[in-house]
């Protein structure tokens, strides 16, 4: 017996024998009683705004559009999740690993060879400024 319809009485519908046989076979496929199958069919048509007399062409197109919109929304959601993971997890982790494995060269505060010659020039010539032209002459003086 159908749940929620136990106390209702049965009504007779006038349908042709061939249609009744076909409907009974369909009910067996659905594993529902005839009343429940007919109720499900009516609910389906009403919920989806489909009429059995109309062609399914335009309604199927709108259904396809709705599905494609839902898929696009889901894809956009997935893309934003992946970007967030990359921004907040992947990039910082890679940066930390790179900093761990990088061999940072110690910063030497020692002056370069040219700077040493500059220091020698300034010691030998107090008060004079060291320019590019004098750098060449300082190097020549140190050679001689």
């Amino acid at each position: 017996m159908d749940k929620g319809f136990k106390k209702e009485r049965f009504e007779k519908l006038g349908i042709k024998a061939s249609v009744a046989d076909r409907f009974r076979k369909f009910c067996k496929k659905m594993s529902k009683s005839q009343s429940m199958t007919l109720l499900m069919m009516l609910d389906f048509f009403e919920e989806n705004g489909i009429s059995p007399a109309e062609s399914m062409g335009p309604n199927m197109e709108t259904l396809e559009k709705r599905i494609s919109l839902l898929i696009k929304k889901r894809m956009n959601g997935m893309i934003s999740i992946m970007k967030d993971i990359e921004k907040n997890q992947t990039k910082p982790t890679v940066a930390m690993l790179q900093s761990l494995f990088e061999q940072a060269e110690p910063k030497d505060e020692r002056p370069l060879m040219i700077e040493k010659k500059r220091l020698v020039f300034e010691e030998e010539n107090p008060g004079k400024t060291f320019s590019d032209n004098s750098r060449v002459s300082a190097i020549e003086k140190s050679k001689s």
Side-chain angles (χ1 to χ4, degrees):
M1 196 106 234
D2 302 328
K3 293 180 181 178
F5 297 96
K6 288 183 181 181
K7 295 185 180 180
E8 286 191 33
R9 63 187 180 89
F10 286 97
E11 290 286 326
K12 293 182 182 179
L13 294 175
I15 56 174
K16 303 287 182 181
S18 61
V19 177
D21 288 338
R22 188 172 165 197
F23 183 68
R24 285 186 189 110
K25 288 178 184 176
F26 182 73
C27 293
K28 286 181 182 178
K29 284 181 187 177
M30 296 295 294
S31 301
K32 299 282 183 186
S33 68
Q34 293 177 12
S35 297
M36 292 281 70
T37 304
L38 187 57
L39 183 63
M40 284 180 5
M41 290 168 68
L42 290 171
D43 288 342
F44 173 80
F45 286 122
E46 288 174 354
E47 286 176 12
N48 295 305
I50 300 171
S51 171
E54 294 176 5
S55 172
M56 289 292 287
N59 288 330
M60 287 301 287
E61 288 174 12
T62 57
L63 183 62
E64 287 175 8
K65 288 178 185 175
R66 276 191 249 156
I67 289 172
S68 66
L69 265 174
L70 288 172
I71 290 173
K72 285 179 184 176
K73 286 182 183 177
R74 294 290 181 196
M75 289 301 292
N76 288 339
M78 289 298 297
I79 290 169
S80 66
I81 289 170
M82 290 174 68
K83 283 182 179 179
D84 183 55
I85 288 172
E86 182 180 333
K87 179 181 171 186
N88 294 324
Q89 293 176 5
T90 308
K91 285 185 179 178
T93 305
V94 168
M96 286 191 297
L97 287 173
Q98 278 182 341
S99 67
L100 287 174
F101 290 115
E102 252 181 23
Q103 290 187 0
E105 293 183 24
K107 293 185 178 180
D108 260 346
E109 295 300 323
R110 297 181 302 174
L112 297 174
M113 289 298 281
I114 296 172
E115 290 178 358
K116 284 184 180 179
K117 291 179 181 177
R118 178 180 173 184
L119 290 174
V120 169
F121 175 79
E122 288 175 355
E123 286 175 2
E124 290 176 357
N125 305 307
K128 288 189 176 182
T129 57
F130 189 78
S131 67
D132 289 341
N133 294 337
S134 61
R135 178 183 299 157
V136 172
S137 63
I139 292 171
E140 288 175 2
K141 284 183 183 178
S142 65
K143 286 182 181 177
S144 58

